[in-house]
Structure formats: structure tokens, C-alpha cells
Amino acid sequence: MKTTGWALVAAAMTVTPAQAQTATAISLDRLVQEVIAYNPERLFYQQQIDAAGTEREAAGRWADPEAVVEFGERRASDRATGAPIGDGQTYAVSVVQPIEFSGRIALRRAIAEHQIALARIGLQQFDATLAARARSLGYGLFAADEKATTARTVAARMRNLARTIVSRDPAGPAPQLEAAALQADAISAERTAASADAEANSILYELNQLRGTAFAARIRIIRPDMALPDLPSGAALAADAAANNFELKSLRAQFEQQGLRVDLARKVRIPVVSVGPYYDHARSDIRETNYGLRLSTTLPLWNRQAGDVAVEQGRQAQANATLLAAERRITRDVFDQAAQYDAKRRALAQWDGESSRRFAAAAEDADRNYRLGAIPLATYTQMQQAYVDATVAILDTRREAIEALLQLRALNGGNVLSR
């Protein structure tokens, strides 16, 4: 049979048990370090900090000088008769430097400082979110590999037993029917293994994208720490999130920055004084040269800046409303994630750390006792399926608890939660 190009690609991208064993073993902590160090999107936030620094330097500088050049004609006439007595060219050159008072430069610099703070908060939030995602995906990859290994072990055990029963060639239809039942249950277990392999591949490709490495690169997660710590009360968690949450820090910085913009809009009404030297030369009946110091300013008679002040005040009110809404939403998220974490943790507490090993040992005992004729086929297959189901349930529940814990840490600014 001819193999298509897409089939070859799919085969190359699908993990096999042999590939899983030869994959590079890596801890969760090392995985997080690699994701943060090599993630290509992180460079954007660093460039934002650099750009904000350049903006701050520019905000502290004076406005550019203004150069004015005038050209014209000059005609002189007699005062008594009005008769022309001479004409010629005239020109004038002046260079003035606008000077701003009332601390407007300081206000612009303060606004730029807040922009740097916002860029740094954005980078910290990105790092914390990236670390949480890497840990969640890393544990998901570990759990998927464990589920696939368990299901594949049960499937192999059933197929081996089915071959043993058929090879004995006893009389009657019962052995053939039992072998067929075992083959059917093996297919179900192999389907579970295939689903776990597909989940592992999907997680692996996302991890490789975050790491900025080749999608075909294979890694295997070393068994992580399975401990689930106690958490403070919901009120304490909410208070910590209110103080440390990156989104709230960013919104507060934006609110303060908008307040500075309102002050700057109000002070735009204060005139800007421009001062500098000028040179004026004219030639008609005589040559005349003038030079000196020129002062110019605006006359804020019409208060056109009032509209700009109103616009900035409206934005400040909007920033305050956004901040208040975010505080409520984040508090709700904290209580929600804490409740989910407690529910999963209580469920896991009912299954001690030896549950998986006991189910594995029970499945092996069932295989041995069935071969000795001590238990019926129904008990044997039920025990094997229970082993797979219990393993999947424990791994999925723990993953859900870990994801809730990671969400709480992200809401708390990436800080570790403890009593």
C-alpha cells in the first residue's frame, strides 16, 4: 500500500513509547526557566521598556528652537513732499527658544516615568503568566504520559492473556468467548492510551512553541512535586491579590498617569514665552541694521484648552471606573479559584498517595488469580478497567487542583501562596 505525504508527516509527529523513553528528561523548574529565557514574544516587552526610557528622556528636554527668516522690499520717501528717494531689499533673521513655565516639563517627565512603570509591569505579568502556563502544560504532559503508560500496560496484559487462553485449546466455546472479551477490553484501553498520546502531543507542541524550539523536539517531564499546600482564607487571598495583582498595579499606574495628564492639560493655558536674538538689515536710500532680543508669547484669551481638560477628566473617570470593576472581578476570581482548589484538594485527600500503587498491585493480583482460576473474567476485567479509570481520575483531579493553584498565584502577582 502506498503511503501518502500527509501520513508520513503524521507518523513523524506522533509520539511512540520508544520515543517517550528516549525523550530528554526535564524538571518543571527547568522547563519554566527555558520558556521564559527563550520565548520569542518576551522581546516585545523588553523593547517596550526601552522605548519608554527613550520617551522619558525626550519628555525632559526643552522644545526645539524656532527660526524665523523674513524677506521683503523697503521704499523710502521724503516726509515733506512724499517723493520717493530710494528703495531696496530688506531681510530679518531671528532664533527664539520656547520656555515653558509652571512645571509642564516635569509633568511630562512624570507621565513618561509612569509609562516605564507600565512597561515593567507588563513584562512581569507576562513572565508570571508564562511561568504558570509552562507549569500547567508541564504537569499536563506528565499526566498524559502516565495515563498512556497505564492504559497501554493494561491493554498489553489483556492481549497476552487472550493469547494464552487460546493457545491452551481447551474444549468448549467459553475460552474463545473469554479471549474475544479480553481483546475488546484491550481495544478500549488502547483507545485511552491513544487519546492520552494525542493530548501529550498537543501539549508538547505548545510547549515547544513557547520555548522557541523545533516542534519535533521531544521532552519528558520528571515526576514533579505532588504536594498541594494549605492556603490562607479567601479574604486574605483577596487582600494579597488587591496589593500584588499585575493588572491592578497597571490600572492604578494608568489612573495616576491620567491624573498627571489632567494637570498638564490645565497648565497648557499658561503662556509659553519664546526668547532669542534677532538681526534685521534694510537698504534703500541708506543702510540700516537692527539687532537685539525678541520676546514672544501667546495670549490665552479664549480658553480653548477647556475642551482638552474636559476630555482628560473624562478619561480619568473612565480609568477609575475600570479600576473599580477590575478590583471586583479579580476578587471574585480569587474566591472562585480558591473554592475550586479546596474542592479538588479535599477529593485528593480521600485518596492517599498510595492509591495508584494499590490499584496497580490489585490489577496484577487480578491477572495472577484469573490465570489460577480463582476469580471470574468479569472480576478480572472490572479490576483492570478500574485501575485505568482510577489513574485517570487521580491525575486529572490533581491537574485541576494545580491549575487552580497556579491561577491563584497569577492573581497574586506570581507570588507563592502560603499561610
Side-chain angles (χ1 to χ4, degrees):
M1 184 176 67
K2 186 176 180 180
T3 304
T4 65
W6 284 111
L8 290 173
V9 172
M13 297 180 68
T14 303
V15 65
T16 64
Q19 289 175 325
Q21 292 299 322
T22 58
T24 303
I26 185 173
S27 66
L28 272 182
D29 291 337
R30 177 64 183 276
L31 177 66
V32 171
Q33 293 172 2
E34 286 190 2
V35 166
I36 293 178
Y38 302 116
N39 184 266
E41 297 179 37
R42 191 176 186 272
L43 180 61
F44 165 76
Y45 292 92
Q46 188 61 51
Q47 290 175 339
Q48 288 293 98
I49 295 176
D50 296 339
T54 303
E55 183 180 350
R56 177 187 60 183
E57 294 300 323
R61 298 170 186 161
W62 285 9
D64 292 333
E66 299 173 0
V68 180
V69 180
E70 299 175 359
F71 295 95
E73 291 287 330
R74 176 173 177 170
R75 176 171 296 177
S77 59
D78 186 84
R79 294 181 62 181
T81 64
I85 57 177
D87 56 15
Q89 296 179 341
T90 179
Y91 64 89
V93 178
S94 65
V95 178
V96 294
Q97 172 64 57
I99 301 176
E100 297 180 284
F101 298 98
S102 70
R104 276 185 286 193
I105 292 179
L107 279 173
R108 279 199 293 267
R109 189 176 179 86
I111 291 172
E113 290 281 359
H114 278 72
Q115 200 64 33
I116 293 177
L118 286 171
R120 287 174 177 163
I121 291 172
L123 178 60
Q124 293 170 353
Q125 182 175 17
F126 182 77
D127 285 348
T129 303
L130 203 58
R133 184 58 180 165
R135 287 189 180 277
S136 176
L137 290 172
Y139 181 81
L141 180 59
F142 166 79
D145 288 341
E146 289 286 300
K147 287 187 282 188
T149 300
T150 299
R152 201 168 282 114
T153 299
V154 168
R157 182 181 295 153
M158 288 182 170
R159 288 194 179 278
N160 181 51
L161 183 57
R163 287 193 296 268
T164 302
I165 292 175
V166 172
S167 64
R168 291 175 182 171
D169 194 23
Q176 294 292 337
L177 294 176
E178 289 183 353
L182 288 170
Q183 293 284 2
D185 288 334
I187 291 174
S188 176
E190 286 165 352
R191 183 181 184 280
T192 301
S195 298
D197 286 340
E199 181 184 6
N201 281 325
S202 178
I203 292 172
L204 184 62
Y205 300 146
E206 183 175 351
L207 279 173
N208 287 339
Q209 177 184 356
L210 295 177
R211 295 164 64 211
T213 190
F215 286 102
R218 316 302 307 190
I219 60 173
R220 178 172 56 85
I221 303 299
I222 300 172
R223 176 175 288 272
D225 182 12
M226 298 293 189
L228 297 175
D230 294 336
L231 293 183
S233 65
L237 289 171
D240 289 342
N244 302 321
N245 183 266
F246 289 121
E247 181 181 354
L248 294 182
K249 285 183 178 180
S250 177
L251 289 174
R252 290 184 187 118
Q254 291 178 33
F255 179 72
E256 293 173 2
Q257 186 185 48
Q258 192 57 42
L260 295 174
R261 294 186 190 277
V262 172
D263 293 340
L264 182 61
R266 286 172 177 160
K267 293 189 176 183
V268 167
R269 179 173 168 79
I270 299 175
V272 175
V273 176
S274 298
V275 58
Y278 76 91
Y279 177 83
D280 185 358
H281 180 78
R283 183 178 62 184
S284 54
D285 58 325
I286 61 173
R287 290 185 178 181
E288 181 180 353
T289 300
N290 299 310
Y291 53 87
L293 193 65
R294 172 171 292 172
L295 293 174
S296 64
T297 186
T298 57
L299 297 177
L301 297 179
W302 317 124
N303 193 23
R304 294 180 59 188
Q305 298 80 10
D308 295 335
V309 173
V311 169
E312 296 298 343
Q313 287 177 333
R315 291 173 179 169
Q316 186 181 31
Q318 182 182 13
N320 185 48
T322 302
L323 174 59
L324 294 176
E327 287 176 342
R328 296 286 295 172
R329 172 173 51 79
I330 287 171
T331 300
R332 182 200 67 199
D333 290 343
V334 167
F335 278 94
D336 181 25
Q337 295 297 329
Q340 292 190 37
Y341 176 78
D342 287 338
K344 305 302 180 182
R345 189 167 175 268
R346 284 196 303 269
L348 287 169
Q350 299 176 5
W351 317 323
D352 57 53
E354 298 299 319
S355 295
S356 297
R357 295 181 182 178
R358 282 205 303 270
F359 278 112
E364 292 179 0
D365 287 342
D367 184 72
R368 184 166 49 254
N369 282 292
Y370 177 74
R371 291 172 185 272
L372 295 174
I375 59 173
L377 178 63
T379 302
Y380 170 80
T381 55
Q382 184 179 7
M383 191 64 247
Q384 302 303 318
Q385 187 59 46
Y387 172 39
V388 175
D389 292 343
T391 300
V392 171
I394 292 173
L395 289 169
D396 286 347
T397 304
R398 188 174 297 278
R399 181 181 182 182
E400 292 166 357
I402 290 175
E403 287 180 349
L405 180 63
L406 291 173
Q407 288 294 326
L408 285 171
R409 288 180 178 175
L411 291 169
N412 192 32
N415 298 322
V416 176
L417 304 169
S418 60
R419 287 187 180 275

